[in-house]
Amino acid sequence: MKRRFLPLAAIVLVPILIITGFALRGIEAQRRAAWTDAQDNARQLAEVRADRLSTLIESRYVRTAERFADPPVPSANVPAGSALAGDDLATMRTLRDNPEAGLTASGLPKRVIAAFRVYRQTRDPDDARALLTLATVDCPSVITPLAFDQVFDLPEDVAQAKDIWKGVKAVNEVLRRHPEIPENGTWLLDQGELWWIASVGGQIRFVALGAPSGIPVPRGPAVSSRPWETVRLTLGGDVIDGPDGVVLASKRVATVWNKAVIASSPALAVEVITPDSQQVHSSVTKQATTTLGVLGAAVLVALIGLVMIQRLMARERRLNELKSHFVASVSHELRAPVGSIRLMADALDAGKVSPETAADFHRLISREGKRLTNLIENVLDFARIEQGRKRWHFEAADLPALVADTLELMKPLAAEKRIALGFIHEVFDAEPVLDSAAVQQALVNLLDNAVKFSPPDSGIETILSSDDRCWRLAVRDHGAGIPSSERKKIFERFYRSGDELRRETQGTGIGLSLVKAIAEAHGGRVELESRPGQGSTFTLVIPLDATAGH
Ligand code: ADP
């Protein structure tokens, strides 16, 4: 059995396992391809974004500012200058335009003071410009705010000058915090603002980009065809704006002005990342889940199929075993009565027996003959039913009389074990339609079993009853009973309880299956109630009009 089943299981399972292996490899390849594809897409996106940022930086033109020293501290060492005392315009202008004019006693540049005085008198736009230029370049930090306050009638110029001043002031402050700015420039993040600054001699070149979150680097799914991508900025490898995630592509932002690419260190880069790398594979994962689900279902179906085949094979094997037992039982059942009939007939032939023994022999020969007939009928009917050749003869019958006749028939057998056969029945209004011979055969089998499995000196009751739909014929014994584990099996063909060698009762194992077949042919069923040690009741439950169920 096992030798036949294992190759079958291998034939079914091995191809499924091979297909599963290929499917898993395919899924892995798809995942890799999805990742590569995502990286390609991200690279393009990073390039476009970095180029845009580069252009933006370029368009913001590099500014140049003077690197001014700390604000001058008023000092007593500075010789007092008399020229500033007067209000003579020409003197003031000469002083204003003289780079060598020096400082006042309080350390302020004489040129700027002179420019203030000139402008206060003339209110001339040129004088205003001269004042602002001097204030923002020569001594910006102390006097500049004052200069802006004074020059109110040039709003446009003032606004522009203020702007420039602010930028210059801010970059000078950054420089005070970061004194080591290289000549070829660097990116730096100062107090949350992004700068590119180069310090060339006494001058500063710079680009002020403000807070990184304000830089128009497009972010989020809206700019990309891939829902999982998002863009962020890094400076020297540190994230300065954007979420955490797995990097798909990274592109340095080229700092270009005057047509030259400036290699700044640390580098500013645009990175395309995915917050969750699983998302990149999500479509593949979905497909893989479906594929694996289908394969799993196939394996399950195959396993169920194999289990069913294995069960069928086991059943077939059991049936074969039961059949050979059946043949052995039938031969045995035939041999015993035939043997005793021959012996008794020989003895009678020889005429050596007393008249009483001869009478006994005749009775025994008749009984054994009946047993043989019963057995052969059982076997033949069983074969006919199995092959579908059995002919049923349904007609209205006097059921109580049929039962009484059958009980009469069985009395000698029961008498051998001193078993009393009782019959309890009600009055039947109508005669039920049935196959009398078959019902009798079923009852004979039930009674035969009841006698076989009852202890000597006990009783067997046959109870006939009916309602408006069915009649019931119950045979109750007080024998060993049937364990619940066997209640279904005993109705199977050839089944006999216990092991073949230890079996004490005679039988072939077809009696109850025949009873069941007869009940079913009448559209009815056999019910069994049994308590081990207390006896069993087998009941035929048959519709009153059996042909209706047939
Ligand atoms: P057989 O009687 O020829 O063995 P059956 O099909 O009539 O075959 O019965 C099958 C088995 O059911 C019996 O071997 C016996 O174990 C069990 N059985 C049947 N009737 C009874 C009963 N009245 N009491 C106990 N066991 C029974």
Side-chain angles (χ1 to χ4, degrees):
M1 227 311 276
K2 264 198 177 145
R3 245 180 277 142
R4 273 194 290 160
F5 180 69
L6 286 179
L8 187 73
I11 288 169
V12 176
L13 288 178
V14 167
I16 292 181
L17 289 178
I18 291 173
I19 292 170
T20 311
F22 275 113
L24 287 175
R25 276 183 59 183
I27 289 164
E28 193 43 46
Q30 271 181 313
R31 283 168 77 93
R32 275 201 301 270
W35 188 254
T36 315
D37 182 54
Q39 281 180 320
D40 286 349
N41 180 272
R43 208 169 293 129
Q44 285 173 15
L45 187 67
E47 259 167 41
V48 172
R49 302 291 176 254
D51 284 353
R52 277 201 197 163
L53 192 54
S54 208
T55 316
L56 177 93
I57 292 166
E58 241 183 304
S59 69
R60 284 205 172 194
Y61 65 88
V62 65
R63 291 194 195 161
T64 307
E66 295 301 318
R67 183 170 192 166
F68 50 77
D70 291 339
V73 180
S75 135
N77 298 339
V78 182
S82 55
L84 272 173
D87 270 347
D88 175 40
L89 259 183
T91 314
M92 288 302 145
R93 280 207 171 107
T94 316
L95 194 59
R96 182 189 73 184
D97 299 335
N98 177 13
E100 311 291 333
L103 303 176
T104 64
S106 54
L108 297 174
K110 284 183 182 171
R111 298 179 66 194
V112 184
I113 309 286
F116 265 113
R117 294 213 173 135
V118 170
Y119 176 65
R120 202 182 298 145
Q121 282 187 39
T122 63
R123 294 284 167 190
D124 180 86
D126 285 339
D127 290 331
R129 268 181 220 106
L131 168 60
L132 288 176
T133 312
L134 277 171
T136 53
V137 174
D138 276 14
C139 191
S141 60
V142 176
I143 301 180
T144 313
L146 190 64
F148 286 131
D149 283 350
Q150 296 290 312
V151 186
F152 13 74
D153 48 353
L154 284 172
E156 241 176 68
D157 286 28
V158 172
Q160 209 182 353
K162 255 187 182 167
D163 246 15
I164 294 167
W165 157 246
K166 264 198 219 155
V168 172
K169 194 172 174 235
V171 78
N172 271 286
E173 275 164 16
V174 174
L175 272 175
R176 255 194 294 283
R177 289 191 286 270
H178 303 272
E180 303 299 325
I181 298 292
E183 260 190 39
N184 62 346
T186 185
W187 285 104
L188 61 89
L189 195 64
D190 178 84
Q191 298 189 337
E193 303 214 326
L194 189 60
W195 296 83
W196 182 85
I197 303 180
S199 171
V200 186
Q203 286 200 314
I204 316 155
R205 281 191 206 143
F206 68 96
V207 175
L209 284 173
S213 58
I215 300 168
V217 180
R219 288 184 187 81
V223 299
S224 155
S225 56
R226 309 297 161 97
W228 55 79
E229 288 173 344
T230 158
V231 179
R232 72 181 182 191
L233 273 181
T234 60
L235 181 59
D238 294 333
V239 178
I240 54 169
D241 185 39
D244 277 347
V246 185
V247 180
L248 291 167
S250 172
K251 176 76 183 167
R252 273 175 78 145
V253 178
T255 327
V256 183
W257 41 79
N258 300 334
K259 307 246 182 286
V261 177
I262 297 169
S264 303
S265 175
L268 180 72
V270 170
E271 283 185 349
V272 176
I273 60 140
T274 173
D276 174 13
S277 59
Q278 286 307 317
Q279 284 189 12
V280 175
H281 304 129
S282 67
S283 62
V284 178
T285 310
K286 248 187 232 161
Q287 232 181 329
T289 315
T290 317
T291 312
L292 291 179
V294 170
L295 276 172
V299 171
L300 200 70
V301 169
L303 286 177
I304 292 172
L306 282 173
V307 168
M308 282 167 72
I309 290 172
Q310 200 254 358
R311 279 189 172 188
L312 272 176
M313 283 164 92
R315 243 185 87 177
E316 190 197 342
R317 186 186 51 156
R318 222 181 99 228
L319 212 62
N320 280 339
E321 278 170 10
L322 289 173
K323 264 186 188 162
S324 47
H325 287 155
F326 169 72
V327 172
S329 311
V330 170
S331 321
H332 176 79
E333 295 280 298
L334 287 173
R335 196 167 49 198
V338 169
S340 54
I341 287 172
R342 258 188 58 197
L343 280 177
M344 287 186 282
D346 286 351
L348 287 172
D349 248 3
K352 286 181 191 160
V353 286
S354 65
E356 297 85 51
T357 316
D360 270 355
F361 276 12
H362 279 120
R363 196 174 43 79
L364 286 172
I365 287 173
S366 155
R367 194 198 72 186
E368 292 299 295
K370 267 188 218 151
R371 263 184 63 190
L372 277 177
T373 315
N374 193 25
L375 174 69
I376 289 163
E377 259 172 26
N378 262 359
V379 173
L380 287 178
D381 265 346
F382 176 78
R384 282 191 206 110
I385 292 172
E386 282 278 287
Q387 292 163 8
R389 286 191 294 112
K390 168 84 179 163
R391 294 219 175 137
W392 304 92
H393 303 285
F394 289 97
E395 57 194 0
D398 180 356
L399 190 55
L402 181 75
V403 175
D405 286 353
T406 315
L407 285 171
E408 209 52 45
L409 216 68
M410 297 301 286
K411 256 187 188 151
L413 183 74
E416 278 176 28
K417 284 173 88 177
R418 296 174 303 284
I419 292 173
L421 298 182
F423 182 30
I424 307 161
H425 71 93
E426 57 188 45
V427 180
F428 267 68
D429 292 340
E431 295 193 326
V433 174
L434 46 85
D435 183 324
S436 303
V439 170
Q440 187 170 48
Q441 195 180 9
L443 183 57
V444 166
N445 273 300
L446 290 179
L447 288 168
D448 189 55
N449 278 345
V451 171
K452 258 197 297 190
F453 296 102
S454 283
D457 301 307
S458 61
I460 294 169
E461 294 89 45
T462 303
I463 306 142
L464 179 62
S465 62
S466 73
D467 54 29
D468 51 350
R469 284 191 299 137
C470 296
W471 56 265
R472 293 164 175 268
L473 182 59
V475 176
R476 186 199 298 154
D477 66 54
H478 304 277
I482 298 158
S484 52
S485 60
E486 294 207 341
R487 278 179 206 166
K488 261 198 175 153
K489 289 188 198 158
I490 55 172
F491 290 99
E492 289 173 11
R493 304 172 290 176
F494 313 129
Y495 181 82
R496 301 190 64 213
S497 67
D499 113 32
E500 201 62 32
L501 293 173
R502 283 186 287 125
R503 207 163 279 147
E504 287 161 8
T505 54
Q506 294 175 322
T508 53
I510 57 170
L512 283 179
S513 67
L514 203 62
V515 173
K516 187 171 165 240
I518 291 169
E520 284 169 358
H522 284 73
R525 61 183 188 277
V526 188
E527 286 175 358
L528 166 61
E529 258 176 69
S530 181
R531 279 205 209 147
Q534 293 189 16
S536 322
T537 307
F538 287 86
T539 311
L540 289 176
V541 185
I542 312 279
L544 283 175
D545 185 4
T547 43
H550 180 56

